[in-house]
Each structure stands twice: as C-alpha cells, then as structure tokens.
Amino acid sequence: MRYVIFGKTGLKVSELGFGGIPLIRLNDELAVKVLRRAYEKGVTLYDTANMYLDSEEKIGKAFSDMRDKVVIASKSIRRDAAGMAEHIEKSLRRLKTDYIDLYQLHQVSEEKDWNAIMAPGGAMEALLEARDKGKIRYIGVTSHSLVMALKLVKTDLFSTIQFPFNFIEIAAKEELHKIAKERHLGILAMKPFAGGMIDNAAIAFKFLRQHADVIPIPGFDSVEAVDQVASFYQSENAVTPCDIDIMDRYRTELGKQFCRRCEYCQPCPNGVLITPAMGYRVIALRMSPDVAVKFSSVVMESVLKCDRCGVCLEKCPYNLPIPDMLNTHYDLYKQHRQGLPTR
Ligand code: SF4
Ligand code: SF4
C-alpha cells in the first residue's frame, strides 16, 4: 500500500479508501471486524455519509479508540444552514469524535442545489462555521454531473472532489482530474465497479492504480473482500494488452448510456423494479438468454406497470431516459422469452 498527499488537505492517506455504504448490511460486530481488517491492510481513509443509515455509527465503533490513526470523511445532503449544522452534529455523535477530517456536500449535481447551498442561510454558511470551530477540518463536495463537478472545482471553495471513475466511466480523466489537480484538490473516485457493472475486480483496480492521485473508495462487506482488494495493492500490477481488450469488451457491452445501480430512482410508485430491469441486457450477455429469462421474469414483467409518470426521471443523477431504456430491455426480454433471434 502506498500513501499519498490528499490534495490541499495535506493529509497523508492510503491510495485505497473504504466506502461506507455496504456497512449498513452488516451487524455491528462484523462491520467493526471488516473496518479493522481494512486498517490492518493499510487503509487509512474511510468515507461515509449521514444518509447511509448506521454506517457512521459503525465507523465510530471501529475507530473511536484510535481516532488519530484514520482519516474520516462524511457528507450531508442538506442544502440549508440549519439542516447542515444539525447533520454535522449528528455525524460527530455517531462517529464518536470531536472532529471530522472531511465533510462533503453530498451529490451536488444540479444548479438549484448549488444555488440553495450558496444562498444566505444556505449550507455553506454552516460548513464554514463548523470549520472555524474545528468540528470539521476540510470541506469537500461530491457530484454525479461532470458539468457541475467542473464548476464546483473551479470555485476554489473545496479541498476535495468526489466523482464516479472506473475503466468504463472515464469522462472525468481528461478535464475534471486535470483541473482538480491543478487546483490541488484531493480526488476521491466513487463507483470503482461502475455500480456493479464491472465484475472483474483485478482489472478494475489495476486500471485505478494507474491514476496515483485518484483514491478509489470501494465498499466492503466482508473480511475476504478486504483481503482480495488489498492484495491488488501489495505489489506492482501493470495493465496488460489483454486487460485492455477486456476493458474494451465491457465498454462495448454496456454502451454509452447505462444504469450505475445507484438506486436513487427507487422506489417506483407503480412498483417497477427499475434497477434490476435496467441490467437485463448485460445479464443476458453474461448468462444465456434462456437463463436470463428464467432468472429475470418477475423483474421484467414489472416493467409493464410503467405508466411513464416521470418520477424516476427527476431522481436519476445520470439523466437516463429510464422509461425508454426499460422498454428496450423489455423488448429484448420478450424476444428471448419467445425464443426469437436477437440482434
Ligand atoms: S416513469 Fe415508469 S419506472 Fe419511472 S417512476 Fe414512473 S412508472 Fe416507475
Ligand atoms: S436508473 Fe439512474 S437512478 Fe436508477 S439506478 Fe440507474 S443510474 Fe441510478
């Protein structure tokens, strides 16, 4: 494991971080075990969020007796000062600490959010006050929109930016990472597996490790998963021409528009199982059409309940045309079900 300077925070952190979402699936004992294992393997940066249910509490349980050995990042979705101040206090309590290294504005992907944050009485006021009082050390931001992320890094208000990055979603590489580095921001890479679309961990991390200043924060839900990913960081592990071919195949399979399985669009008021249905094409490619039909029938039949109400469209951070995409997946499923040849 190498250690890098985390942008203008000046903090020294491991080149691999830990994403806190999967902790919510684990009981306290296992969560603490997994977190401690990550620390033993050299991971010193832990990212969580106010909205990840009890993830902060579990990180607090794991590290409150060794607070100075780890760097903790959390975040809040609140856009108003009072709400942000309340969330910071909540995070401090749950994390059992009197300071949080990095506190991020969570998921700033639209202008209206940014305007609310910066307005009088907006969340930025509370963040600055908390920083002045030493409750948080640095302010960061996370986004799913490249346009917004570019705007945010140029404000020079943030010490870090968190944005999706993996060998399929490489849009950030050219412009965002370049500008962030020029302005000395620390860079966190969310979605190292493209929301579950990449099932080859070895190649996913080989790719990410080529980008030394970009710190991936995969989620871990077992000691074995920690051991596996940490093993990729124990030796030099160069990308080979064969790896490049495999990455190209993934990109071709998924196309330009694909669902990252973030589940922000759910629940659908009509009961459409959006996320699994959006993965049908890839499942059919990786399995066989007949197995995919058998495996996905409940999910795919739920697509028929879509009345194009548009509720999901407003919630998808990637602006995917969800009802149209669901129809395409359903048509493919129907062809497979009828045993028809597909394109
Ligand atoms: S557009 Fe369809 S899938 Fe989206 S929320 Fe409405 S009914 Fe559900
Ligand atoms: S459709 Fe959009 S919001 Fe829903 S899971 Fe996929 S990427 Fe996320």
Side-chain angles (χ1 to χ4, degrees):
M1 187 74 66
R2 294 186 287 239
Y3 293 85
V4 294
I5 298 299
F6 191 27
K8 63 172 103 165
T9 71
L11 297 166
K12 201 170 186 186
V13 295
S14 51
E15 60 178 328
L16 172 70
F18 187 118
I21 296 182
L23 293 174
I24 63 184
R25 298 199 291 268
L26 311 182
N27 64 35
D28 285 8
E29 195 187 344
L30 183 55
V32 169
K33 215 164 143 188
V34 171
L35 286 157
R36 287 282 197 157
R37 182 61 161 203
Y39 179 74
E40 284 160 21
K41 290 287 174 183
V43 176
T44 60
L45 173 66
Y46 296 81
D47 180 73
T48 180
N50 216 286
M51 66 160 21
Y52 300 164
L53 303 177
D54 59 2
S55 167
E56 288 183 320
E57 276 168 2
K58 287 165 174 164
I59 291 176
K61 282 195 174 114
F63 296 131
S64 59
D65 62 344
M66 45 179 283
R67 178 66 189 88
D68 58 332
K69 304 278 189 289
V70 292
V71 169
I72 296 179
S74 193
K75 44 186 123 53
S76 166
I77 199 82
R78 295 299 294 263
R79 306 310 191 209
D80 60 312
M84 177 58 77
E86 187 194 320
H87 270 195
I88 291 171
E89 293 300 330
K90 210 172 182 180
S91 294
L92 287 165
R93 263 196 321 275
R94 288 166 162 179
L95 287 161
K96 295 189 202 309
T97 181
D98 54 5
Y99 71 95
I100 297 165
D101 298 282
L102 175 67
Y103 213 77
Q104 302 153 103
L105 285 158
H106 196 166
Q107 165 60 328
V108 183
S109 295
E110 293 186 33
E111 277 298 329
K112 67 172 169 41
D113 289 323
W114 182 234
N115 292 339
I117 288 161
M118 296 306 289
M124 185 56 79
E125 285 180 5
L127 284 166
L128 293 171
E129 193 183 327
R131 191 178 63 184
D132 289 346
K133 289 183 175 163
K135 294 180 178 182
I136 62 174
R137 295 179 71 191
Y138 301 99
I139 300 171
V141 64
T142 83
S143 181
H144 288 83
S145 154
L146 189 55
V147 175
M148 269 314 285
L150 284 166
K151 175 172 174 163
L152 295 166
V153 295
K154 288 176 190 168
T155 62
D156 285 330
L157 287 167
F158 301 107
S159 298
T160 65
I161 175 82
Q162 185 176 146
F163 193 80
F165 185 57
N166 52 67
F167 70 72
I168 293 168
E169 296 173 275
I170 49 176
K173 198 169 73 176
E174 301 304 327
E175 220 178 340
L176 182 64
H177 289 178
K178 186 171 166 282
I179 295 173
K181 282 180 202 174
E182 278 167 12
R183 292 172 183 253
H184 308 293
L185 271 78
I187 305 171
L188 292 173
M190 61 169 113
K191 308 213 181 296
F193 300 113
M197 289 298 173
I198 298 171
D199 54 8
N200 188 326
I203 293 182
F205 287 102
K206 266 190 197 183
F207 168 83
L208 289 165
R209 213 181 179 200
Q210 289 180 304
H211 305 276
D213 301 329
V214 179
I215 301 169
I217 43 170
F220 296 103
D221 61 4
S222 68
V223 166
E224 292 73 27
V226 170
D227 288 350
Q228 188 204 24
V229 174
S231 72
F232 303 137
Y233 284 80
Q234 272 157 12
S235 56
E236 290 309 318
N237 211 356
V239 171
T240 64
C242 172
D243 297 332
I244 292 171
D245 284 349
I246 294 173
M247 290 188 226
D248 283 344
R249 224 175 308 144
Y250 272 91
R251 289 181 192 119
T252 312
E253 267 182 18
L254 287 168
K256 283 209 170 83
Q257 277 190 326
F258 67 95
C259 168
R260 278 76 165 178
R261 300 196 205 180
C262 65
E263 305 206 339
Y264 285 128
C265 56
Q266 302 203 102
C268 159
N270 291 340
V272 178
L273 300 168
I274 303 173
T275 315
M278 296 283 267
Y280 180 77
R281 185 170 153 269
V282 171
I283 288 173
L285 277 168
R286 297 215 178 126
M287 300 178 175
S288 62
D290 50 330
V291 175
V293 166
K294 210 167 139 196
F295 185 68
S296 311
S297 64
V298 173
V299 164
M300 296 316 291
E301 294 304 332
S302 79
V303 172
L304 295 176
K305 295 188 224 163
C306 175
D307 64 0
R308 295 187 162 263
C309 69
V311 169
C312 58
L313 292 172
E314 306 215 334
K315 295 194 274 187
C316 177
Y318 302 97
N319 296 320
L320 296 180
I322 297 173
D324 293 345
M325 289 175 76
L326 287 171
N327 268 346
T328 308
H329 286 290
Y330 186 80
D331 287 347
L332 186 65
Y333 161 77
K334 210 162 74 179
Q335 287 178 52
H336 289 162
R337 198 182 56 190
Q338 293 168 351
L340 298 174
T342 53
R343 274 175 288 147

